[in-house]
């Protein structure tokens, strides 16, 4: 998502409003627009996310910005991804159609496993990246029985409710190999917001930075970087951490 303004995956939404008067900024969600589209008659809930993306997948893929403005952070993720086996393994949660992020990681020699709860996105991923692994599953409560050298929730994790985001840190840890990198995007502070994807409203939520820090520590991660509204990444708010375990 971006603040220029663009939404979750680099598209240009009509705008968004802030809920609960929260002082929260998500890249791509304008503080000025759209309350007319999100009121008591048209509530957008976290559970609406997967049906929405399933419905708009082809249009989303067509509009997705492929300039790879995320390159700096993808390279930083790679830099912190350890080699525990023959190839570095990346778990991409909420992978969408796989372009441009999963495709870039594959080009850099990483072994990518994508996970997306929208079946239409999974089909696009298969078409775009036939060499990559893909799983049609909800990231909430996910247990693949595998470890990965990097886990990523780029512009997907923040579509979950606050409660579900808290529970995701156990999912991150469950899939983290020794010293695995973790990267995800969030809002700048606690609250909810509504953006748009392919002209349809989509829900976002964020915790406060300190709560994210506490959750990282509680689940065996050490913070490596936190950059709110990175001007070099279209105003994304980005977290990077390393799994060190609890022992």
């Amino acid at each position: 998502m971006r603040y220029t303004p663009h939404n979750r995956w680099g598209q240009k939404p009509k705008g968004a409003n802030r809920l609960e008067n929260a002082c929260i900024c998500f890249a791509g969600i304008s503080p000025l627009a759209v309350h007319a589209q999100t009121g008591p008659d048209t509530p957008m809930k976290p559970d609406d996310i997967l049906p929405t993306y399933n419905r708009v997948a082809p249009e989303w893929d067509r509009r997705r910005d492929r300039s790879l403005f995320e390159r700096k952070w993808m390279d930083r993720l790679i830099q912190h991804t350890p080699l525990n086996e023959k190839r570095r393994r990346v778990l991409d949660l909420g992978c969408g159609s796989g372009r441009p992020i999963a495709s870039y990681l594959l080009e850099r020699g990483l072994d990518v496993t994508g996970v997306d709860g929208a079946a239409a996105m999974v089909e696009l991923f298969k078409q775009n990246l036939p060499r990559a692994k893909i799983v049609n599953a909800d990231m909430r409560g996910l247990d693949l029985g595998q470890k990965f050298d990097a886990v990523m929730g780029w512009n997907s994790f923040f579509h979950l409710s606050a409660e579900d985001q808290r529970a995701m840190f156990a999912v991150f840890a469950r899939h983290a190999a020794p010293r695995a990198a973790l990267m995800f995007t969030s809002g700048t502070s606690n609250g909810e917001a509504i953006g748009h994807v392919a002209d349809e409203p989509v829900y976002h939520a964020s915790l406060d930075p300190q709560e994210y820090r506490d959750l990282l520590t509680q689940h065996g991660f050490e913070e490596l970087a936190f950059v709110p509204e990175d001007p070099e990444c279209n105003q994304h708010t980005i977290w990077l951490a390393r799994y060190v375990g609890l022992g």
Side-chain angles (χ1 to χ4, degrees):
M1 299 193 74
R2 2 165 81 175
Y3 212 134
T4 47
H6 292 63
N7 69 1
R8 172 190 177 196
W9 292 103
Q11 300 165 1
K12 296 181 180 179
K14 293 179 179 177
N17 70 330
R18 305 299 169 87
L19 305 184
E20 300 179 352
N21 297 315
C23 182
I24 175 176
C25 296
F26 287 91
I29 299 184
S30 164
L32 302 177
V34 201
H35 19 243
Q37 298 189 33
T38 58
D41 297 329
T42 57
M44 163 55 62
K45 305 179 294 298
D47 286 343
D48 295 326
I49 288 295
L50 291 180
T52 297
Y53 277 99
N54 200 49
R55 188 166 57 249
V56 304
E59 181 64 13
W60 172 86
D61 187 50
R62 186 184 70 81
R63 296 189 193 184
R64 186 14 170 138
D65 184 339
R66 299 194 184 118
S67 65
L68 204 64
F69 60 84
E70 310 93 338
R71 184 190 306 269
K72 179 187 80 170
W73 281 98
M74 294 303 111
D75 288 344
R76 199 165 180 184
L77 176 72
I78 294 168
Q79 176 187 355
H80 288 283
T81 298
L83 181 63
N84 283 301
E85 295 190 357
K86 292 181 179 179
R87 295 184 68 188
R88 289 176 290 181
R89 303 154 297 173
V90 179
L91 179 61
D92 185 359
L93 298 169
C95 59
S97 69
R99 299 186 298 183
I101 289 180
S103 60
Y104 180 71
L105 296 174
L106 280 170
E107 289 167 5
R108 295 296 305 275
L110 282 73
D111 187 5
V112 177
T113 296
V115 172
D116 206 291
M121 288 293 190
V122 169
E123 290 306 311
L124 288 170
F125 188 100
K126 289 178 180 177
Q127 295 170 25
N128 295 333
L129 303 173
R131 293 188 297 115
K133 304 178 187 70
I134 181 66
V135 178
N136 184 194
D138 193 322
M139 71 173 74
R140 293 172 291 186
L142 185 71
D143 187 353
L144 297 178
Q146 297 175 254
K147 302 290 186 183
F148 296 85
D149 305 305
V151 179
M152 180 169 57
W154 186 271
N155 289 359
S156 55
F157 167 77
F158 59 22
H159 284 311
L160 304 179
S161 68
E163 180 180 357
D164 285 337
Q165 287 189 31
R166 295 181 183 105
M168 277 300 299
F169 285 83
V171 175
F172 295 153
R174 183 182 304 141
H175 293 90
R179 300 189 68 76
L182 169 66
M183 190 163 68
F184 62 92
T185 50
S186 72
T188 55
S189 58
N190 181 64
E192 297 175 302
I194 303 297
H196 280 76
V197 59
D199 303 325
E200 294 207 25
V202 286
Y203 172 93
H204 304 75
S206 183
L207 309 178
D208 274 322
Q210 188 55 54
E211 185 169 3
Y212 283 128
R213 289 191 171 100
D214 292 343
L215 287 162
L216 287 168
T217 300
Q218 290 164 18
H219 291 85
F221 292 92
E222 65 176 6
E223 179 185 339
L224 298 177
F226 169 58
V227 181
E229 298 186 299
D230 183 357
E232 297 181 0
C233 194
N234 289 320
Q235 305 298 322
H236 283 59
T237 294
I238 304 154
W239 293 84
L240 179 63
R242 175 188 291 123
Y243 185 66
V244 294
L246 294 171

